[in-house]
Amino acid sequence: MTVKIAPSILSADIMNLERDVRAADKAGADVFHIDMMDGNFVPNMSFSPSVVEGMRRVTDKPLDIHMMMENPDAYIKPVIDAGADTVLIHAESTQHIYRSIDLVKSYGARAGVVVNPGTPLETVKELFPIIDQILVMTVNPGFGGQKFIPGMTKKIQRLDQLRQTAADDNFEIEVDGGINADTISQCARAGADIFVAGSYLFNGEAGLEKRIDDIRSLAVEAKQ
Ligand code: DX5
Ligand code: ZN
């Protein structure tokens, strides 16, 4: 599978969001990652469906919604109506993750499940044949700029092995949290396909284009 770089707009300059989104689009972003936090599931608050709608007006790139909220089902239709392409739901946020994934698909969007660092892959294994994506959190969710948890590399590796052993499981593996030029290679080697990066892309000194190119090259090289 090809490498995709997904800038997380949580680290963009909120007062200049349109400027930053246009710049990341032009710099080669493959997909935009939008974090929705409710202040309950995680100790922070962020974007709502209206931000998804605004993003849809300024970019044609796919929009991935990372839902970090209690009761995610209530927001599935609103974000898809607003222009989401993929909806990613935490396994820990709902008692009926299978139903939530089904709901996303029933509205015609791509569906993905998210696992926190402490959640075993076994919890979501039954979803493998029906999901398009699985997001492995490589930090505890809630904030940008945290440090990559080293043990997660083995988890990605195990997930990739599971994917290879089942013929009908062809989801993409995504990683989110602490992804930068030091950590991306090990994730790519372990089997990740989509790389979310927030603070590394938006808070760095070098231009966005160079940063995207740099991490993309590292990931491509590690996958060979
Ligand atoms: C954290 C969010 C991430 C965040 C990543 O809970 O899900 O998408 O923006 O930020 P960095 O890349 O700075 O770790
Ligand atoms: Zn995220």
Side-chain angles (χ1 to χ4, degrees):
M1 286 191 212
T2 50
V3 165
K4 292 183 188 168
I5 304 296
S8 173
I9 61 159
L10 189 64
S11 289
D13 178 354
I14 194 67
M15 302 310 283
N16 289 289
L17 188 56
E18 179 174 357
R19 179 201 69 191
D20 283 5
V21 170
R22 287 194 191 280
D25 189 332
K26 200 161 161 253
D30 297 292
V31 32
F32 280 98
H33 182 90
I34 306 174
D35 290 310
M36 285 184 59
M37 309 184 194
D38 68 350
N40 289 306
F41 181 68
V42 286
N44 196 6
M45 296 171 93
S46 67
F47 309 120
S48 64
S50 60
V51 174
V52 179
E53 202 184 313
M55 292 273 300
R56 190 69 298 164
R57 277 189 267 120
V58 304
T59 179
D60 293 329
K61 301 276 169 75
L63 303 177
D64 278 16
I65 317 304
H66 177 189
M67 292 195 152
M68 286 166 272
M69 49 175 57
E70 309 283 354
N71 190 20
D73 291 9
Y75 294 92
I76 290 172
K77 189 170 186 300
V79 293
I80 294 171
D81 286 348
D85 293 279
T86 304
V87 182
L88 301 158
I89 300 182
H90 270 266
E92 311 84 3
S93 69
T94 164
Q95 293 202 320
H96 299 284
I97 183 67
Y98 203 103
R99 179 188 291 159
S100 303
I101 295 291
D102 263 349
L103 201 56
V104 172
K105 291 171 74 114
S106 76
Y107 294 120
R110 296 176 78 252
V113 66
V114 190
V115 282
N116 274 333
T119 302
L121 294 171
E122 285 63 32
T123 312
V124 294
K125 236 175 112 182
E126 305 310 323
L127 299 167
F128 288 178
I130 63 159
I131 51 172
D132 299 291
Q133 225 159 292
I134 172 161
L135 171 51
V136 177
M137 287 309 298
T138 42
V139 298
N140 290 302
F143 301 93
Q146 302 183 82
K147 216 172 154 302
F148 181 85
I149 301 172
M152 293 303 109
T153 311
K154 279 220 169 83
K155 191 177 186 181
I156 301 160
Q157 217 166 15
R158 272 189 290 121
L159 179 57
D160 187 41
Q161 280 159 5
L162 289 170
R163 173 171 66 171
Q164 284 176 28
T165 52
D168 54 346
D169 298 349
N170 58 11
F171 49 83
E172 291 176 294
I173 299 176
E174 178 173 20
V175 284
D176 182 10
I179 301 299
N180 55 40
D182 297 324
T183 56
I184 197 164
S185 302
Q186 55 185 290
C187 294
R189 215 171 293 122
D193 312 293
I194 307 174
F195 303 86
V196 177
S199 51
Y200 176 76
L201 292 181
F202 288 108
N203 303 344
E205 305 236 309
L208 260 174
E209 194 169 340
K210 179 171 168 23
R211 295 197 155 235
I212 290 179
D213 285 353
D214 284 354
I215 52 171
R216 189 196 305 284
S217 311
L218 287 167
V220 168
E221 196 181 311
K223 268 174 155 327
Q224 276 162 5

